[in-house]
Amino acid sequence: MIKVAVTGAAGRMGSGIVRKITEQEDMEVVAAIEMPNTPLAGNDIGLQAGIGELNVPITGSEDLENTLNKTQPDVLVDFTIAPAAAQTIQIASKCGVNLVVGTTGFSQEQLDANLKAVVDNKIKSVMTYNFSIGVNVFFKVIRDLTPILNDFDIEIIEAHHNQKEDSPSGTAVTALETVCDALGRDPNEVAVYGRHGHVGKRTKQEIGVHAIRGGDITGDHTVLYVGDGERLEVKHTAHKREVFIAGVIRAIRYIPNAEPGKISDMTDVLGI
């Protein structure tokens, strides 16, 4: 039985993860963590998630270390916000708890600290901007396709709901990095984030990255390859959050076989 702790457990994603874990025969939720000094402290996470009592009380993140030491989870799942997740990763790593992290918006300093925590404490981890199985196949397609269309203009467009705080999305950033890696370009030198005003003609080297925010869009990502007289679009559309949760469940099952001291991603989980 894989014992799982979930942060942001009462949120939309967290509650969905809790519900899905309870459907698995080889997993159980042993800890549910929310924001510091949460008014939900003490409430049963099962009742909060609408699936009946689980005898797992919600605790505030100010008591995270004590909660982890008490409940001894095998893995902690984090889908929160970058500042909170960065602290959670440090504490969980020191407690020897393996990690599955889908939080986006980390700064480079936070990313470096995340890696150091995993390496120094020799824990197992899966961290990625998108746990959708389909979107990770999308990454493979653009990785294979880009070298063939290396003389085409390339643009990346992403769309998300109006509550998303970071832009561009982590998935769009990964798509950019994938394209640039295939072309031997530096994302910091060629990426153009939106266009406004008299920007001049598009260069062959630049890659445009554009963000759309509106309504309840779960997540759309498109890579455009535009040549003279023709255009190829590679697109992934997520219709509901459950597609990400399915990937989380796979990642949790992958953790026992993951390499200690390494940040794995969904290519490792899916073997692609």
Side-chain angles (χ1 to χ4, degrees):
M1 186 68 70
I2 304 173
K3 297 188 295 182
V4 184
V6 180
T7 58
R12 288 184 297 175
M13 191 67 177
S15 293
I17 292 169
V18 168
R19 288 191 291 269
K20 198 66 176 180
I21 289 172
T22 61
E23 297 173 5
Q24 313 305 309
E25 295 182 354
D26 58 343
M27 300 179 192
E28 64 175 332
V29 177
V30 297
I33 299 99
E34 260 298 327
M35 67 179 68
N37 305 305
T38 174
L40 298 175
N43 291 1
D44 187 276
I45 187 57
L47 296 177
Q48 187 72 33
I51 53 176
E53 194 168 358
L54 294 178
N55 293 316
V56 177
I58 296 172
T59 59
S61 59
E62 77 280 358
D63 200 31
L64 178 61
E65 184 172 357
N66 181 57
T67 298
L68 296 180
N69 288 332
K70 181 179 178 181
T71 58
Q72 294 289 299
D74 299 304
V75 59
L76 179 145
V77 178
D78 188 289
F79 279 78
T80 55
I81 57 175
Q87 292 184 356
T88 295
I89 289 167
Q90 295 298 315
I91 294 171
S93 297
K94 290 178 182 177
C95 291
V97 178
N98 302 311
L99 294 162
V100 170
V101 178
T103 298
T104 64
F106 289 115
S107 67
Q108 188 58 54
E109 182 179 2
Q110 289 169 331
L111 290 171
D112 293 342
N114 294 347
L115 176 59
K116 188 175 188 302
V118 169
V119 172
D120 289 352
N121 294 284
K122 295 181 173 60
I123 64 163
K124 301 175 181 181
S125 69
V126 177
M127 298 189 193
T128 183
Y129 290 123
N130 198 311
F131 277 86
S132 160
I133 294 167
V135 90
N136 282 279
V137 175
F138 165 86
F139 290 145
K140 176 171 173 51
V141 171
I142 63 175
R143 187 165 60 244
D144 294 344
L145 185 60
T146 299
I148 301 172
L149 302 178
N150 59 73
D151 59 340
F152 278 45
D153 293 330
I154 302 174
E155 300 278 308
I156 298 169
I157 304 168
E158 58 100 339
H160 283 84
H161 53 85
N162 57 21
Q163 300 300 302
K164 187 170 179 60
E165 297 185 7
D166 58 307
S167 173
S169 69
T171 301
V173 171
T174 301
L176 171 65
E177 292 171 344
T178 301
V179 167
C180 286
D181 184 63
L183 295 174
R185 300 178 192 171
D186 183 344
N188 296 318
E189 295 179 358
V190 301
V192 177
Y193 297 96
R195 295 187 179 89
H196 176 74
H198 190 72
V199 297
K201 294 181 179 180
R202 187 192 195 283
T203 71
K204 290 301 294 183
Q205 292 294 308
E206 74 182 57
I207 298 172
V209 183
H210 313 277
I212 296 167
R213 296 290 177 268
D216 62 351
I217 301 172
T218 300
D220 292 353
H221 293 88
T222 303
V223 178
L224 298 177
Y225 297 87
V226 187
D228 291 334
E230 60 182 339
R231 179 175 77 247
L232 182 66
E233 299 184 11
V234 181
K235 181 171 184 175
H236 176 270
T237 300
H239 297 288
K240 53 185 180 179
R241 292 177 182 273
E242 282 74 12
V243 300
F244 308 119
I245 297 174
V248 170
I249 296 301
R250 285 209 191 188
I252 292 171
R253 287 205 177 97
Y254 174 79
I255 283 291
N257 300 314
E259 181 181 337
K262 173 190 173 184
I263 293 182
S264 301
D265 59 25
M266 284 301 286
T267 63
D268 299 304
V269 174
L270 299 174
I272 57 176

